[in-house]
């Protein structure tokens, strides 16, 4: 029987048999998914931990167990701190900026404006483009001297800037592309949440003489809190995951100024063929993501009532 | 919203809102518009934005001839089909097990599955590459798709959907002699059709656009999807100019863009319903 009030008092043999059959069916249904999860999630995770404790193997010297050597290597590498710092700045700017923009977009896309369909479509469009295509489009903006930005600033007599070629601006140029790509996606969730808020709330606030910003701060933002939390977690994961545009725009340069953690993992493993250090770095990322998961399941889900 | 107009003869607030919203919308699609402009003009005149410069499809012709786009597109199509088909079957079975069967270890397993929402396949590239190579699936569609087939998100989503199906429906089907799989197929799957549609749209969009993992797994034009092909095409080493890159980029995004313009409402609804990718 399906999971209705299962008899717990007495287990006669038939019920026990049925229960066992039930369990068997459950496992059988799960088997295909579990097999793939084992192959591409559980085993690789374990293998990553294991490999991170071994030295880089070469043709002459096979890899040997070397404890935490790879980790020590990493934290003594100044590049490690550059990359971590880059990623922290990347996350620290893209997350709040894209969330704030998403909220503004959602408020506008929800308001009764002329051309609302166009506005919604325009905000959402970057979401369905591949990041690689987005990077190509932005390359056209950033090209020094010839690009859209320099053509525009040139009208005012400003000198051309190599946005992607100098360490001071490159990461910011990358951040702009990410925010452009993400904000419209996050807007969708705010838009959905806004539509569940009863309109009489706004009327009540107006009757009470509350201005727009009071209404936003005192009524809307608290009501949108669960959505914000959900978007925040997504944005956090994306700040690790979204690196495709680096392959087109900067390749992590100049001078590591735009190198992010996942890009560095890729580079170590597939350009420098140094899987030992790549796995150590992967373990650190897994720990961070695991921390995010624990945070989500223990704090966010408890404090904020979903569904 | 319905405040009497007499109190605000000209509603400056709303007018400002409209202008702001339109400006932001223009800024947001500007990259696409500029690319479209550049792709339709001769390379030298890509950036002097005068309406008198001649229109040309030459860039599209050059871009089209410079890479095996049809093969790339076919590979992308195969990849999204393979991945989606696998996801639908596996996630349906697993979601059903988690929603309606009671067995020891279920809760622990479900937590392990949920954890995969955070431990992304992208992060495990090093060891997943080793695994795919061990399975002799390098440079194949299956190698690109398999790590995503047991989608934690799909399992989670379908479990939620199946849980909301009234048990009476299942009991009625059982009385009429349906088997376990029969119940799944006749009751649960039809009842969750909107969720399937939403998940399918999101999965297709995600894998159509996926880049890092296909880049790692493929090494020949015969298996490369569009995104990887496009990244090679646009590489500075290839010496292709911006007009041609724009043309190629627009060609690659065109199918999904057109689908989006046609199904905009359903698309946005799908993303709404599905949440995370």
């Amino acid at each position: 029987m399906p999971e209705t009030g299962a008899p717990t008092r007495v287990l006669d043999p038939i019920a026990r048999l049925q229960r066992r059959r039930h369990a068997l069916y459950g496992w059988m249904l799960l088997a295909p998914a579990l097999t793939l999860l084992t192959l591409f999630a559980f085993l690789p995770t374990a293998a990553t931990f294991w490999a991170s404790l071994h030295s880089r193997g070469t043709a002459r010297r096979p890899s040997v167990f070397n404890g935490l050597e790879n980790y020590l290597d990493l934290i003594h590498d100044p590049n490690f701190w550059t990359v971590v710092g880059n990623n922290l700045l990347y996350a620290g700017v893209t997350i709040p900026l894209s969330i704030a923009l998403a909220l503004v977009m959602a408020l506008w896309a929800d308001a009764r404006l002329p051309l609302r369909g166009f506005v919604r479509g325009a905000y959402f469009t970057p979401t369905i483009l591949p990041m690689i295509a987005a990077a190509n489009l932005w390359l056209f903006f950033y090209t020094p001297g010839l690009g859209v930005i320099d053509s525009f600033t040139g009208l005012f007599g400003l000198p051309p800037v190599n946005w992607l070629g100098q360490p001071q601006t490159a990461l910011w140029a990358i951040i702009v592309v990410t925010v452009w790509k993400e904000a419209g996606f996050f807007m969708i969730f705010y838009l959905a949440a806004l539509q569940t808020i009863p309109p009489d709330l706004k009327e009540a606030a107006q009757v009470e003489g509350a201005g727009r910003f009071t209404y936003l701060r005192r009524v809307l933002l608290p009501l949108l809190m669960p959505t914000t939390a959900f978007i925040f977690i997504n944005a956090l994961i994306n700040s690790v995951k979204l690196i495709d545009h680096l392959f087109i725009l900067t390749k992590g340069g100049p001078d590591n100024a735009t190198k992010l953690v996942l890009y560095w993992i890729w580079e170590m493993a597939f350009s420098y063929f140094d899987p030992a250090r790549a796995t150590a770095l992967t373990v650190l990322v897994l720990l961070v993501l695991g921390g995010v998961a624990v945070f989500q399941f223990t704090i966010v889900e408890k404090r904020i009532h979903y569904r | 919203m319905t405040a009497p107009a007499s109190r605000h003869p000209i509603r400056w607030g709303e007018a400002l809102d409209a202008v702001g919203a339109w400006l932001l919308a223009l800024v947001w699609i500007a990259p696409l518009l500029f690319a479209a402009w550049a792709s339709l003009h001769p390379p030298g005149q890509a950036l002097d934005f005068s309406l008198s410069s001649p229109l040309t499809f030459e860039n599209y012709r050059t871009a089209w001839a410079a890479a095996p786009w049809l093969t790339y597109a076919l590979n992308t199509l195969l990849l999204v089909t393979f991945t989606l088909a696998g996801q639908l079957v596996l996630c349906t079975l697993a979601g059903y097990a988690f929603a309606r069967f009671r067995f020891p270890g279920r809760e622990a397993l479900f937590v392990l599955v949920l954890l995969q929402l955070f431990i992304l396949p992208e992060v495990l590239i090093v060891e997943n590459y080793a695994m795919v190579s061990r399975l002799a699936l390098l440079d194949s569609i299956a190698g690109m798709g398999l790590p995503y087939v047991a989608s934690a998100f799909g399992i989670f989503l379908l479990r939620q959907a199946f849980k909301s199906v009234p048990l009476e429906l299942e009991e009625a089907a059982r009385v009429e002699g349906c088997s376990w799989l029969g119940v799944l197929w006749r009751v649960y799957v039809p009842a969750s059709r909107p969720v399937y549609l939403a998940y399918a749209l999101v999965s297709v969009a995600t894998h159509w656009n996926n880049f890092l993992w296909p880049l790692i797994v493929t090494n020949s034009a015969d298996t490369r999807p569009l995104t990887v092909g496009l990244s090679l095409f646009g590489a500075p080493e290839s010496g292709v100019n911006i007009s041609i890159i724009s043309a190629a980029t627009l060609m690659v995004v065109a199918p999904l863009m057109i689908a989006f313009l046609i199904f905009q409402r359903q698309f946005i609804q799908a993303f709404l319903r599905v949440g995370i990718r």
Side-chain angles (χ1 to χ4, degrees):
Chain A
M1 278 296 282
E3 192 190 331
T4 42
T8 44
R9 281 177 298 117
V10 207
L11 275 181
D12 55 285
I14 297 174
R16 198 180 299 160
L17 194 70
Q18 214 168 31
R19 195 172 244 225
R20 213 175 280 165
R21 213 172 53 179
H22 208 182
L24 183 69
Y25 282 145
W27 281 100
M28 267 163 43
L29 288 168
L30 270 180
L34 274 189
T35 311
L36 281 188
L37 276 176
T38 308
L39 284 177
F40 294 106
F42 306 145
L43 279 182
T45 306
T48 304
F49 273 101
W50 184 244
S52 75
L53 301 175
H54 288 76
S55 69
R56 174 187 189 174
T58 58
R60 273 181 301 150
R61 276 195 313 161
S63 89
V64 292
F65 183 85
N66 67 354
L68 296 177
E69 193 95 359
N70 293 323
Y71 294 91
L72 293 176
D73 239 29
L74 264 184
I75 57 173
H76 288 129
D77 183 346
N79 287 339
F80 173 74
W81 298 104
T82 311
V83 171
V84 169
N86 287 344
N87 223 142
L88 286 178
L89 180 67
Y90 182 69
V93 178
T94 53
I95 296 173
L97 202 58
S98 50
I99 292 181
L101 259 172
L103 180 60
V104 172
M105 284 175 166
L107 289 172
W108 276 338
D110 194 43
R112 285 201 195 145
L113 301 171
L115 299 178
R116 190 169 69 173
F118 159 74
V119 168
R120 277 188 188 185
Y123 295 161
F124 189 67
T125 303
T127 303
I128 56 161
L129 300 181
M131 199 59 167
I132 290 293
N136 277 343
L137 300 180
W138 280 89
L139 195 59
F140 184 38
F141 270 63
Y142 290 138
T143 312
L146 295 167
V148 175
I149 296 180
D150 276 358
S151 304
F152 184 72
T153 54
L155 295 178
F156 302 98
L158 296 169
V161 179
N162 189 355
W163 298 101
L164 295 168
Q166 52 186 17
Q168 311 89 285
T169 52
L171 188 55
W172 294 96
I174 296 288
I175 286 172
V176 167
V177 179
T178 309
V179 170
W180 177 76
K181 185 83 169 67
E182 276 194 316
F185 179 52
F186 296 152
M187 166 194 78
I188 294 293
F189 303 107
Y190 275 132
L191 200 52
L194 281 176
Q195 280 163 5
T196 64
I197 293 176
D200 15 329
L201 269 182
K202 187 166 190 175
E203 278 157 32
Q206 273 169 348
V207 169
E208 297 281 323
R212 274 183 81 178
F213 288 97
T214 319
Y215 173 69
L216 178 69
R217 207 163 51 89
R218 290 293 181 74
V219 182
L220 273 190
L221 284 185
L223 284 174
L224 291 174
M225 209 40 213
T227 317
T228 307
F230 173 81
I231 295 176
F232 174 78
I233 298 281
N234 266 286
L236 205 61
I237 294 176
N238 277 354
S239 67
V240 173
K241 190 172 81 168
L242 283 186
I243 56 148
D244 295 356
H245 47 332
L246 295 182
F247 284 85
I248 296 284
L249 293 174
T250 62
K251 300 201 187 306
D255 195 20
N256 288 338
T258 59
K259 199 161 283 174
L260 300 177
V261 173
L262 185 55
Y263 188 89
W264 203 32
I265 292 179
W266 172 82
E267 199 179 52
M268 282 198 278
F270 298 98
S271 282
Y272 304 154
F273 303 104
D274 186 358
R277 270 165 37 117
T279 47
L281 190 54
T282 307
V283 169
L284 298 182
V285 176
L286 288 178
L287 289 179
V288 171
L289 289 177
V292 174
V294 169
F295 172 73
Q296 154 82 21
F297 293 136
T298 56
I299 298 173
V300 180
E301 296 244 314
K302 290 264 159 58
R303 294 191 56 182
I304 293 170
H305 197 66
Y306 276 118
R307 287 181 277 278
Chain B
M1 243 180 272
T2 47
S6 56
R7 264 174 49 197
H8 311 277
I10 308 168
R11 292 192 228 160
W12 286 108
E14 283 180 24
L16 269 180
D17 268 345
V19 172
W22 292 337
L23 272 181
L24 190 64
L26 269 184
V27 169
W28 235 244
I29 54 164
L32 268 173
L33 297 182
F34 280 118
W37 176 275
S39 73
L40 289 171
H41 290 85
Q45 282 151 301
L47 290 143
D48 52 318
F49 298 103
S50 85
L51 288 172
S52 61
S53 50
L55 284 178
T56 171
F57 284 99
E58 198 48 43
N59 297 315
Y60 285 91
R61 230 167 282 144
T62 316
W64 180 258
W69 296 110
L70 268 184
T71 315
Y72 294 160
L74 187 68
N75 293 334
T76 294
L77 213 58
L78 285 174
L79 172 65
V80 297
T81 314
F82 172 85
T83 311
L84 180 62
Q87 284 172 335
L88 290 183
V89 175
L90 264 70
C91 299
T92 300
L93 296 180
Y96 187 40
F98 280 126
R100 286 293 184 242
F101 288 80
R102 187 175 285 203
F103 50 91
R106 185 181 74 167
E107 300 310 313
L109 264 180
F110 189 58
V111 169
L112 272 182
V113 169
L114 280 187
L115 206 57
Q116 303 311 312
L117 289 176
F118 298 87
I119 314 290
L120 317 151
E122 280 80 12
V123 179
L124 292 170
I125 46 179
V126 183
E127 289 300 329
N128 270 346
Y129 179 82
M131 182 59 79
V132 166
S133 136
R134 232 171 277 147
L135 298 171
L137 289 174
L138 284 182
D139 204 24
S140 74
I141 302 288
M144 270 189 281
L146 269 186
Y148 295 94
V149 165
S151 148
F153 190 62
I155 295 173
F156 174 74
L157 205 67
L158 289 172
R159 170 187 178 265
Q160 300 302 96
F162 293 161
K163 266 181 171 286
S164 69
V165 173
L167 272 177
E168 293 78 49
L169 280 181
E170 162 166 356
E171 273 150 21
R174 308 262 308 141
V175 168
E176 288 180 17
C178 265
S179 66
W180 288 110
L181 283 178
V183 170
L184 174 61
W185 184 243
R186 301 252 170 77
V187 177
Y188 285 99
V189 172
S192 315
R193 206 174 287 148
V195 176
Y196 276 103
L197 179 71
Y199 181 72
L201 278 177
V202 171
S203 165
V204 167
T206 307
H207 291 284
W208 192 285
N209 294 343
N210 198 11
F211 169 71
L212 184 62
W213 178 244
L215 170 77
I216 292 168
V217 173
T218 59
N219 54 31
S220 72
D222 296 335
T223 44
R224 230 169 252 149
L226 280 169
T227 46
V228 179
L230 182 63
S231 79
L232 296 178
F233 185 77
E237 308 89 82
S238 65
V240 182
N241 69 57
I242 201 80
S243 298
I244 296 177
I245 292 181
S246 297
T249 306
L250 290 177
M251 277 183 343
V252 166
V253 303
L256 219 53
M257 286 294 293
I258 292 169
F260 170 64
L261 286 178
I262 298 173
F263 300 109
Q264 188 178 343
R265 186 177 292 265
Q266 287 88 334
F267 235 90
I268 293 184
Q269 289 296 332
F271 275 85
L272 281 182
R273 197 172 281 126
V274 168
I276 328 171
R277 286 195 251 185

